[in-house]
Amino acid sequence: MAVYLVCAIAALAGLLFGFDTGIISGALLFIEKGFTLTTVMKELIVSSVLLGAMAGSLCSGQLTDRYGRKPVILIISSLFIIGTLIASLAPNVQTILIGRLCIGIAIGIGSYTAPLYIAEVAPLELRGGLVSFNQLAITIGIMCSYFINYLFTNTEASWRWMFLIGIIPAVLLFFGMFFLPESPRWLVKQKKLGQAKETLRYLRANGNVDHELSSIEKSLSVHQASFSEIMAPWIRPVLFLGIMLGFLQQVTGINTIIYYAPTIFQMTGFQDTSTSILATVGIGIVNVLATIFAVVFLDKLGRRVLLLTGLVGMFFSLAILSLAFQWNSDSLRWIAVLCTFTYVICFAFSLGAMLWLLASEIFPLNVRGIAMSIAIFSGWLWNFVVSATFLSLLNSLGPANTFMVYAVMCVIGFIFCYYKVPETKGVSLEAIEANIRRGLPLREIGQPIFTPELASENIIN
Ligand code: BGC
């Protein structure tokens, strides 16, 4: 029971990730009314969070290793609180940017630390589900932000309230985390065995934790690679796969919808702000529902089927959206709503869930920390590039061509995933690592192998 509570509190970091990235979609429309904004200024307001997140994700590995998971999560919740206060009370656009940058740093560090902490306190048999739970928390955060956008649409200085509500989960995370234990794995690494044992006893109701403690000790005896070792020829292909997944998750355009949906809806003919924000609430809801579907079916249907089907659906949604803008018919706005809905659904059960899951599965143990943070950094980098250029692309290429660019990216994504993404369903992390060491092509590293030592482990995960 305790472990569920611990994970739910840590997942508030994922919720804040979703909330603080999603809230800008509606807030932007009102900031625009309060200050005169150029296109570049608008793009900066959206992407300042992402700049911060890039910086945060880069230093997250070192921070959590040196100071421990718990103090780092306490620090990021304080940063969330400070950044939210700065942004919501800001007298000018520059101050909004500083506040959002602060929030971004917290998001970037949290996007690595929270899933890591969850994975380290969770028992083995729950680990996979709890990793996907983090993605679910992100989408719930996005959905809440859209509701808040809608609720405060007609309020005076509405964007300030929209930002300010984010302080509630941040305060909950701070106080909740205060009472949570440090990760037992980190404690063992610091040679604080007594404390680690006590924490494990608290987390596992059954009391017998000696076996788990010794397996943590055993896994920590694996030599941890340095930054240069990560470029070793046998690791390079999986590192490339992780970087490509981060790249594809973003260049197929998800955050043009997540951050700019009301702006897009207004372009298609929805006149008033509140209707376009209401349509965006719908996007938030289907995003959560499709993520729940992914969490339930990832292990039954397999990663590849969901990934490839999702990419096909994303391609058709974007291509039809692009054609609808080209024809500019009366029904454009309804086609736009339908296409964005199907697009978000297809993303949620494919690339959305897959980056975080595969990043936690494909990397060998001795490079897992560094490699995961590189893959996550790649996601933030490309997120920044796409979000910081979307409005400019709309202005220069027009909506039809802009969405066609993202549609083409889906085709490239499909071809890449078809040839390179392995099926990791039902295979242990140890078997995946053994396959990488044997030099199998990427697509085959998820093959179960039946050596006497590994045969028993192929059933887990
Ligand atoms: C992505 C975010 C995106 C969200 C949408 C996450 O997996 O990393 O960039 O906004 O999914 O649900």
Side-chain angles (χ1 to χ4, degrees), residues 21-225:
T21 51
I23 199 74
I24 200 65
S25 68
L28 190 63
L29 300 180
F30 298 96
I31 299 176
E32 240 179 313
K33 287 181 185 163
F35 304 98
T36 351
L37 297 179
T38 59
T39 302
V40 175
M41 263 306 191
K42 278 194 256 176
E43 285 169 339
L44 263 181
I45 291 179
V46 173
S47 48
S48 49
V49 157
L50 310 173
L51 273 179
M54 270 178 348
S57 67
L58 266 190
C59 54
S60 52
Q62 275 181 324
L63 283 178
T64 43
D65 275 349
R66 177 174 300 185
Y67 301 107
R69 286 53 166 149
K70 179 175 166 165
V72 169
I73 299 184
L74 281 171
I75 291 169
I76 62 164
S77 45
S78 320
L79 261 181
F80 270 120
I81 297 173
I82 296 169
T84 302
L85 285 174
I86 296 178
S88 50
L89 302 174
N92 51 35
V93 179
Q94 286 76 357
T95 319
I96 300 182
L97 292 180
I98 295 174
R100 299 284 293 164
L101 201 69
C102 248
I103 294 175
I105 296 174
I107 294 179
I109 302 176
S111 65
Y112 170 85
T113 313
L116 178 79
Y117 177 79
I118 293 175
E120 290 183 344
V121 296
L124 184 67
E125 63 281 9
L126 294 180
R127 201 165 289 167
L130 288 168
V131 171
S132 321
F133 186 64
N134 188 57
Q135 169 68 9
L136 188 59
I138 297 174
T139 58
I140 293 176
I142 294 175
M143 183 181 71
C144 293
S145 74
Y146 291 168
F147 268 118
I148 296 298
N149 278 339
Y150 184 64
L151 277 185
F152 285 95
T153 304
N154 294 317
T155 317
E156 178 99 7
S158 44
W159 61 270
R160 296 187 189 276
W161 289 106
M162 292 171 182
F163 283 156
L164 196 60
I165 297 290
I167 216 161
I168 300 174
V171 169
L172 284 178
L173 178 63
F174 182 84
F175 285 107
M177 205 59 212
F178 212 72
F179 296 103
L180 296 194
E182 180 50 89
S183 139
R185 200 181 153 82
W186 187 80
L187 288 170
V188 174
K189 214 172 171 183
Q190 302 302 309
K191 312 258 175 294
K192 296 179 177 164
L193 287 181
Q195 247 174 296
K197 193 168 181 176
E198 219 172 280
T199 308
L200 275 175
R201 282 221 186 95
Y202 163 75
L203 291 167
R204 316 275 177 262
N206 63 19
N208 186 7
V209 295
D210 290 342
H211 179 67
E212 190 168 353
L213 199 61
S214 69
S215 68
I216 293 179
E217 281 185 278
K218 211 162 109 197
S219 76
L220 282 174
S221 64
V222 175
H223 161 72
Q224 291 301 301

Side-chain angles (χ1 to χ4, degrees), residues 17-18 21-22 50 135 138-139 142 249-250 254-255 258-259 287-288 291 344 347-348 351-356 379-380 383:
F17 167 165
T21 51
L50 310 173
Q135 169 68 9
I138 297 174
T139 58
I142 294 175
Q249 198 203 43
Q250 297 300 325
I254 181 62
N255 288 314
I258 298 292
Y259 306 162
N287 192 14
V288 172
T291 305
V344 166
F347 170 86
L351 280 172
M354 231 56 81
L355 170 66
W356 309 100
W380 285 118
N383 189 343

Side-chain angles (χ1 to χ4, degrees), residues 158-434:
S158 44
W159 61 270
R160 296 187 189 276
W161 289 106
M162 292 171 182
F163 283 156
L164 196 60
I165 297 290
I167 216 161
I168 300 174
V171 169
L172 284 178
L173 178 63
F174 182 84
F175 285 107
M177 205 59 212
F178 212 72
F179 296 103
L180 296 194
E182 180 50 89
S183 139
R185 200 181 153 82
W186 187 80
L187 288 170
V188 174
K189 214 172 171 183
Q190 302 302 309
K191 312 258 175 294
K192 296 179 177 164
L193 287 181
Q195 247 174 296
K197 193 168 181 176
E198 219 172 280
T199 308
L200 275 175
R201 282 221 186 95
Y202 163 75
L203 291 167
R204 316 275 177 262
N206 63 19
N208 186 7
V209 295
D210 290 342
H211 179 67
E212 190 168 353
L213 199 61
S214 69
S215 68
I216 293 179
E217 281 185 278
K218 211 162 109 197
S219 76
L220 282 174
S221 64
V222 175
H223 161 72
Q224 291 301 301
S226 66
F227 208 77
S228 55
E229 284 170 79
I230 197 166
M231 291 312 286
W234 70 282
I235 295 173
R236 249 180 264 162
V238 261
L239 185 63
F240 171 67
L241 177 59
I243 292 173
M244 277 302 284
L245 285 170
F247 168 77
L248 290 172
Q249 198 203 43
Q250 297 300 325
V251 296
T252 44
I254 181 62
N255 288 314
T256 61
I257 309 285
I258 298 292
Y259 306 162
Y260 293 103
T263 312
I264 298 174
F265 289 142
Q266 284 195 338
M267 270 170 11
T268 64
F270 284 101
Q271 296 299 326
D272 79 297
T273 319
S274 80
T275 320
S276 45
I277 293 188
L278 184 63
T280 310
V281 173
I283 288 191
I285 296 174
V286 295
N287 192 14
V288 172
L289 295 179
T291 305
I292 296 177
F293 171 85
V295 172
V296 176
F297 286 101
L298 265 171
D299 282 328
K300 297 198 176 78
L301 299 175
R303 281 70 163 145
R304 278 178 60 86
V305 172
L306 287 180
L307 190 56
L308 296 174
T309 321
L311 277 160
V312 172
M314 286 163 67
F315 166 76
F316 279 110
S317 314
L318 288 172
I320 296 171
L321 182 63
S322 159
L323 292 177
F325 268 109
Q326 202 129 26
W327 294 325
N328 205 1
S329 71
D330 287 345
S331 43
L332 173 59
R333 64 179 119 158
W334 298 114
I335 299 179
V337 169
L338 192 75
C339 288
T340 45
F341 272 53
T342 50
Y343 170 82
V344 166
I345 293 173
C346 293
F347 170 86
F349 70 73
S350 61
L351 280 172
M354 231 56 81
L355 170 66
W356 309 100
L357 184 61
L358 286 174
S360 72
E361 290 181 333
I362 55 173
F363 298 121
L365 186 61
N366 66 334
V367 295
R368 195 167 293 153
I370 302 182
M372 259 183 85
S373 58
I374 293 179
I376 292 175
F377 171 76
S378 158
W380 285 118
L381 173 71
W382 290 104
N383 189 343
F384 171 74
V385 172
V386 172
S387 315
T389 53
F390 177 59
L391 294 180
S392 305
L393 279 185
L394 280 183
N395 286 346
S396 54
L397 302 180
N401 290 334
T402 304
F403 287 114
M404 205 41 107
V405 171
Y406 304 127
V408 171
M409 289 299 178
C410 293
V411 177
I412 296 174
F414 182 90
I415 298 171
F416 177 84
C417 293
Y418 184 84
Y419 287 107
K420 297 291 182 198
V421 171
E423 180 55 80
T424 50
K425 174 186 112 176
V427 187
S428 76
L429 303 184
E430 290 70 18
I432 295 174
E433 177 161 348

